[in-house]
Amino acid sequence: MLLAPMLGLLSIGVLVNPAVLNQGNCIASGVILGPIPDSLEVTMKDGYTFTLNKQQLTHAGTIITVGGSIPGVGRDGILIALMAALTESTLRQLANTGTYPESGEYPNDGNGSDHDSLGLFQMRPQSGWGTVAELMDTSYQARAFYGGPDGPNYPSPRGLLDIPGWQQMDKGEAAQAVEVSAYPDRYQNYEPVARTILDTLTLRSGGNGSGVPGDTNIPETSRLVFPLPTGSYVHTSSFGPRIDPITGEARLHAGTDWAAPDGTPIFALADGLVTYAGMVDGYSGQITIEHTIGGEKVATKYIHMWAHGIHVTAGDRVTAGQHIGDVGSSGHSTGPHLHFQVHPGGANAPAVDAEPWLAQRGIEGIDAPVGGGPGCST
């Protein structure tokens, strides 16, 4: 039953062929660093409150900027990196003059004494993370933490992008998978702090903060990106008349379904403005984004996420390939999948068959390898 619908898709098979789609590896996060405040009061999961100074927040900005430039990291990856740096050093660039006297000659925020660890992420030269000079560079430490094929420490020690399935892991567990700490349970305590930092320091509305629901000033998108990671999905239902699998009635299926594991990241098709993000009628998760594609107003809808799997809000400006939600099975659904709709003319216009519409416009990664970032492959 799963294979049958694909027989009719040979003409656009490139759309759903994991061998030719790179999006999971070739998507920049769309996270943009905004102004850095002089201080920020934050509260940990256990209720402890403290204040971060401008220097600590500047280091957080470095982690955000580096992560935002590496395809495949996304907002979640940056959050994990912030959790790790908060836990290891409270976002301080630490020397270790007891083991490496020369480390004190580099710009630092104090002296640490944990074995031979250095810097924001307390990385150890003896474990292969880098030289003293390299690890006393905050940008190098951030790149090493994120890792990936173009990371400075590839293939070992492993950075976040080198951890299989990190996107589906608990964020504290993902941080521990990179840091390999003797105290693996510490990272979760800093997740609320990391979220506060990320929300405070980044622009969620395309750089000017002016986006509001219904805003028609949406620039032409520069990219189109398939909404699910390569190899994560199976096509299960096309647009058009069908027998409803729940009611048994004949009705129009107004979108295209791709089954994927619960929690699989969902990406924005194109640059645009989120006009709806929430639970329709209280039980079916939906995100609606308005775009300008080929000079035309187009809306896309992403349906069936759980409430906790919706990562944007109405008014947010998003970029093509940005992680906006996670696959779920809320509402009128028989299992985890993305129900995807395309509405030329806007969200209130009729939906069209997404498969030929996408094939006619081309999806990033089909005709040639995507350039311009680490993690991309042919």
Side-chain angles (χ1 to χ4, degrees), residues 352-364:
V352 300
D353 190 341
E355 292 165 344
W357 188 91
L358 291 170
Q360 290 166 9
R361 285 154 182 81
I363 299 297
E364 183 169 305

Side-chain angles (χ1 to χ4, degrees), residues 246 258-260 262 304 306 327-330 332-338:
I246 295 178
W258 291 291
D262 196 294
H304 295 309
W306 304 113
V327 169
S329 187
S330 64
H332 197 81
S333 171
T334 58
H337 71 287
L338 169 63

Side-chain angles (χ1 to χ4, degrees), residues 210-235:
S210 63
V212 295
D215 185 353
T216 58
N217 183 24
I218 303 173
E220 177 78 26
T221 189
S222 60
R223 312 163 64 200
L224 291 178
V225 174
F226 195 75
L228 290 169
T230 300
S232 68
Y233 56 90
V234 175
H235 176 278

Side-chain angles (χ1 to χ4, degrees), residues 75-319:
R75 201 171 183 87
D76 284 352
I78 295 172
L79 183 68
I80 293 166
L82 289 170
M83 290 168 61
L86 283 160
T87 304
E88 296 295 337
S89 69
T90 326
L91 286 170
R92 294 174 297 156
Q93 178 69 350
L94 296 177
N96 188 337
T97 57
T99 305
Y100 298 108
E102 69 273 27
S103 65
E105 300 173 6
Y106 297 90
N108 66 81
D109 305 316
N111 199 32
S113 58
D114 182 14
H115 297 87
D116 63 321
S117 301
L118 295 166
L120 294 175
F121 294 95
Q122 289 292 276
M123 292 174 169
R124 304 178 64 181
Q126 293 178 19
S127 297
W129 283 105
T131 65
V132 172
E134 288 171 335
L135 294 178
M136 291 307 296
D137 178 338
T138 54
S139 294
Y140 176 94
Q141 283 231 352
R143 289 189 294 114
F145 181 88
Y146 292 123
D150 291 333
N153 46 298
Y154 186 80
S156 179
R158 296 188 304 174
L160 183 65
L161 295 177
D162 306 314
I163 307 297
W166 68 267
Q167 297 93 335
Q168 283 75 49
M169 297 170 65
D170 173 88
K171 290 177 174 55
E173 292 177 356
Q176 165 66 7
V178 178
E179 293 288 344
V180 195
S181 168
Y183 305 96
D185 298 328
R186 298 180 301 162
Y187 301 100
Q188 284 92 342
N189 202 22
Y190 281 95
E191 183 170 352
V193 178
R195 289 190 183 278
T196 299
I197 293 171
L198 192 54
D199 289 343
T200 302
L201 267 61
T202 58
L203 302 177
R204 297 297 298 272
S205 299
N208 58 17
S210 63
V212 295
D215 185 353
T216 58
N217 183 24
I218 303 173
E220 177 78 26
T221 189
S222 60
R223 312 163 64 200
L224 291 178
V225 174
F226 195 75
L228 290 169
T230 300
S232 68
Y233 56 90
V234 175
H235 176 278
T236 53
S237 188
S238 294
F239 178 95
R242 71 170 187 177
I243 300 300
D244 188 290
I246 295 178
T247 66
E249 300 174 352
R251 59 182 295 183
L252 173 68
H253 184 235
T256 302
D257 290 349
W258 291 291
D262 196 294
T264 299
I266 297 172
F267 306 129
L269 173 77
D271 301 348
L273 175 72
V274 178
T275 58
Y276 183 86
M279 305 302 288
V280 176
D281 297 328
Y283 81 111
S284 182
Q286 177 176 313
I287 296 172
T288 302
I289 305 176
E290 299 275 1
H291 318 274
T292 300
I293 300 174
E296 179 184 24
K297 182 178 181 180
V298 177
T300 53
K301 295 183 180 181
Y302 312 76
I303 300 174
H304 295 309
M305 291 147 302
W306 304 113
H308 64 265
I310 297 174
H311 303 318
V312 292
T313 58
D316 284 355
R317 299 255 181 190
V318 297
T319 57

